Amino acid sequence: MAADNAPPVLLDLTIDNITPNTIRINDQSSDARLRYLMSRLVTHLHDFARETRLSTDEWVAAIGFLVSTGQICSDVRNEFILLSDILGLSLLVDSINHPKPAGSTEGSVLGPFHTHDAPTIENGASMTSDPEGEPMLALCRVVDPNGKPVAGVKVDIWETDSSGHYDVQHADRSAPSERCVMVTDEDGRFNFQGIKPVPYPIPHDGPVGKLLQRLGRHCWRPAHVHFMFEKKGWDHLITALYLRGDPYETSDAVFGVKKSLVIDLGRTDAATSAKHNIPEGSWLLEQEFVLVTEDESERLRDQNAINALKQLGLHMKLVDHLPVPEVD
Amino acid sequence: MAADNAPPVLLDLTIDNITPNTIRINDQSSDARLRYLMSRLVTHLHDFARETRLSTDEWVAAIGFLVSTGQICSDVRNEFILLSDILGLSLLVDSINHPKPAGSTEGSVLGPFHTHDAPTIENGASMTSDPEGEPMLALCRVVDPNGKPVAGVKVDIWETDSSGHYDVQHADRSAPSERCVMVTDEDGRFNFQGIKPVPYPIPHDGPVGKLLQRLGRHCWRPAHVHFMFEKKGWDHLITALYLRGDPYETSDAVFGVKKSLVIDLGRTDAATSAKHNIPEGSWLLEQEFVLVTEDESERLRDQNAINALKQLGLHMKLVDHLPVPEVD
């Protein structure tokens, strides 16, 4: 399928022959994985148009939707991630790429609000600058599947302020707030002070919000705190913890909630409050996160891929852990 | 499937159950056509990710591609139309929506360079302001399938200048050039002076150009002139005429060439040149375009849709000429 000397002859293309011909000309690429991705993309795109008999007006509307989705993007807003989120694609891609063995912490959606400028804070420090938020102490720990602490893990933590907005959603943002980076100590611990998370609507003043409205869907996410864990040799974990009893617990606009990630907050007692320098009766989040090694996750991902492709009746091999056709 | 009182419960979504659940929540829409479009879109999008085991890196690259495709769009550049063109979708959507009975003029791709500011010129006038172009006289006529002239048809005509650029591609564009609007006379005729079209590369300094490069594809279109025909009661015809012998005749980057649209140019003789006020020996384009009525095109489109959906095993009915599921 790789490049011949002359490109294939394209003439008189019709509803019925456009797909194999588009694939044929894309097959000039020397990249087997790209050839496979493009052949499946073109097939699905064309099948979609054929099955729906997509009208010219609908095509024009779709083009307009994509243009405006791209145009509203900025350094602090990614409307295409939001679109991927509300279409369930983000959850699906995370599930495919970070399968979790029983007993390890499940993943959840990254969302469009992670930034790379969060300050690294000391274990036990505060990441909140919101006086309106209800103070929350988080006492967390990272362990392996055998319960052994994992030290030196970089943990990214982010949540909205008490108004339900991430810092980047404020036009006058001058510095990061309600977000931080920490590193787990020898005992795998990372403690911090934040605020009790609140439910919030995803940005709905753009094309994605309009789409949700036309679909009769609400745009709310249940209260949660995002966490991202990184350490060489360990599977990259993007997850979040959700508060039990939230009105949107079972209708998250971006499909992120898993039962194992729904938690109850407690209240700090006198001793804990004194030790961690927070008012008694503050909200208390206690959580153990279980990381798996990159090797284990990769083995599981490869095995899942092989099984799934077999079930789909596709004859594929894995190259760099990604499927390409067996006979190419 | 229409809105219930409470939204469906979404929890613990996985590779295997995310698709029906996303469709279920989208089915809250009261618009049957939108429900069908979204259910097929979500199914194909998710199947694509499952079949390819789309990696997180690939997803990130795709999001970045879509953002930059949207960001390069402007009033005079639509990179998403270009993307649709090079993926064969534009040709497909035109073929679905404007089926052509035998004997009528076939359609071709609109492309991203049609504008709405072209001047209306008198029959026989010139639309070129390019002194470098080779003068071309076009003597054209619009008829119905029985050869009867169709008067009062609005004809949009546009082509590149001799450098292979549409006027909107020049940053210093102050007025439309190499484009016009005409109206056919009582005998269905529209004559104009332009320049001999030249092959040109589609804009390749953006994301779509980079994609073509990675696919080993060239970005050239064979020399052509665009035509668009509009008259109430007649099927909207978007087409183009291509020059025989062009180096890209059988490898158009956007799949637009059809044998019936490939023409030979002649040369004007003394009498014709005198009559139309153009130097003798100028290029001569003579063409008869055959329009069909909207009714005939609609009947054919509906029939094609019914046949195609039956062949696909889909149980659908047509509402406003567009398929929605029979049992909804």
Side-chain angles (χ1 to χ4, degrees), chain B:
Chain B
M1 297 273 213
D4 286 315
N5 289 329
V9 170
L10 302 171
L11 211 60
D12 280 335
L13 297 169
T14 66
I15 298 176
D16 298 314
N17 70 16
I18 182 70
T19 308
N21 277 290
T22 307
I23 292 173
R24 220 155 46 95
I25 197 159
N26 287 341
D27 273 349
Q28 294 176 105
S29 171
S30 58
D31 179 338
R33 175 67 178 167
L34 182 62
R35 287 202 300 274
Y36 179 55
L37 288 173
M38 290 304 294
S39 80
R40 298 314 303 157
L41 177 71
V42 165
T43 299
H44 283 297
L45 187 67
H46 291 191
D47 282 351
F48 170 75
R50 276 186 289 254
E51 287 166 5
T52 60
R53 311 299 292 185
L54 191 68
S55 77
T56 303
D57 287 349
E58 289 166 343
W59 174 85
V60 168
I63 294 285
F65 177 84
L66 290 168
V67 171
S68 54
T69 300
Q71 300 253 299
I72 210 170
C73 290
S74 69
D75 287 349
V76 294
R77 177 168 187 166
N78 193 319
E79 193 85 354
F80 275 112
I81 292 185
L82 204 62
L83 181 61
S84 169
D85 290 352
I86 67 118
L87 293 178
L89 181 65
S90 306
L91 182 284
L92 177 57
V93 169
D94 181 67
S95 304
I96 288 171
N97 286 282
H98 298 281
K100 296 296 185 287
S104 65
T105 300
E106 293 191 277
S108 189
V109 288
L110 171 68
F113 294 116
H114 176 254
T115 70
H116 293 278
D117 67 353
T120 299
I121 64 172
E122 289 300 305
N123 217 327
S126 173
M127 69 165 201
T128 180
S129 57
D130 180 0
E132 305 296 319
E134 298 178 37
M136 179 179 78
L137 173 66
L139 303 177
C140 304
R141 197 162 173 244
V142 180
V143 297
D144 73 9
N146 299 316
K148 264 190 62 182
V150 186
V153 179
K154 180 188 169 200
V155 189
D156 256 273
I157 307 156
W158 66 108
E159 64 172 332
T160 69
D161 60 24
S162 58
S163 79
H165 295 88
Y166 290 93
D167 55 358
V168 292
Q169 294 179 279
H170 292 292
D172 60 350
R173 179 193 201 248
S174 58
S177 68
E178 314 311 312
R179 63 176 77 236
C180 72
V181 171
M182 308 189 69
V183 178
T184 60
D185 69 14
E186 285 310 303
D187 196 32
R189 294 191 191 279
F190 65 100
N191 302 333
F192 64 94
Q193 291 186 21
I195 59 172
K196 186 190 180 196
V198 295
Y200 64 86
I202 59 172
H204 53 287
D205 58 338
V208 170
K210 288 196 191 82
L211 177 61
L212 285 178
Q213 195 166 29
R214 286 207 54 193
L215 291 172
R217 288 172 56 174
H218 72 66
C219 53
W220 288 81
R221 296 212 66 201
H224 61 278
V225 185
H226 290 276
F227 295 88
M228 181 157 74
F229 300 87
E230 281 176 279
K231 184 181 180 181
K232 204 171 150 58
W234 296 83
D235 187 48
H236 190 101
L237 172 63
I238 296 166
T239 192
L241 296 176
Y242 299 88
L243 300 195
R244 198 181 317 282
D246 188 281
Y248 305 104
E249 185 180 332
T250 60
S251 67
D252 183 0
V254 304
F255 310 104
V257 185
K258 289 167 182 169
K259 284 195 201 93
S260 69
L261 302 174
V262 177
I263 59 160
D264 294 292
L265 294 186
R267 294 282 191 174
T268 58
D269 60 21
T272 307
S273 299
K275 183 175 172 191
H276 295 281
N277 192 28
I278 197 166
E280 189 176 340
S282 294
W283 294 106
L284 176 64
L285 181 162
E286 288 182 291
Q287 185 71 16
E288 202 165 71
F289 296 90
V290 182
L291 291 196
V292 294
T293 63
E294 208 163 48
D295 281 352
E296 185 173 1
S297 176
E298 206 158 71
R299 263 198 309 276
L300 191 57
R301 192 171 72 231
D302 286 357
Q303 196 50 58
N304 288 350
I306 288 164
N307 293 345
L309 294 167
K310 210 166 164 186
Q311 275 197 348
L312 289 168
L314 298 171
H315 299 285
M316 313 290 289
K317 60 185 174 189
L318 298 186
V319 176
D320 296 332
H321 308 282
L322 293 172
V324 294
E326 184 75 64
V327 181
D328 190 50

Side-chain angles (χ1 to χ4, degrees), chain A residues 130-168:
Chain A
D130 180 359
E132 305 296 319
E134 297 178 38
M136 180 179 76
L137 173 66
L139 303 178
C140 303
R141 197 162 174 244
V142 180
V143 297
D144 74 9
N146 299 316
K148 264 190 63 183
V150 187
V153 179
K154 180 188 170 200
V155 189
D156 255 272
I157 306 156
W158 67 107
E159 62 172 333
T160 70
D161 60 25
S162 58
S163 78
H165 294 89
Y166 290 93
D167 55 358
V168 291

Side-chain angles (χ1 to χ4, degrees), chain A residues 30-37 97 298 301-303 305-306 309 315-328, chain B residues 51-55 57-58:
Chain A
S30 58
D31 179 338
R33 175 67 179 167
L34 182 62
R35 287 202 301 273
Y36 180 56
L37 288 173
N97 286 281
E298 206 158 70
R301 192 171 73 231
D302 286 358
Q303 197 50 57
I306 289 164
L309 296 167
H315 298 285
M316 313 290 291
K317 60 185 174 189
L318 298 185
V319 176
D320 297 333
H321 306 283
L322 293 172
V324 294
E326 184 74 65
V327 181
D328 191 49
Chain B
E51 287 166 5
T52 60
R53 311 299 292 185
L54 191 68
S55 77
D57 287 349
E58 289 166 343

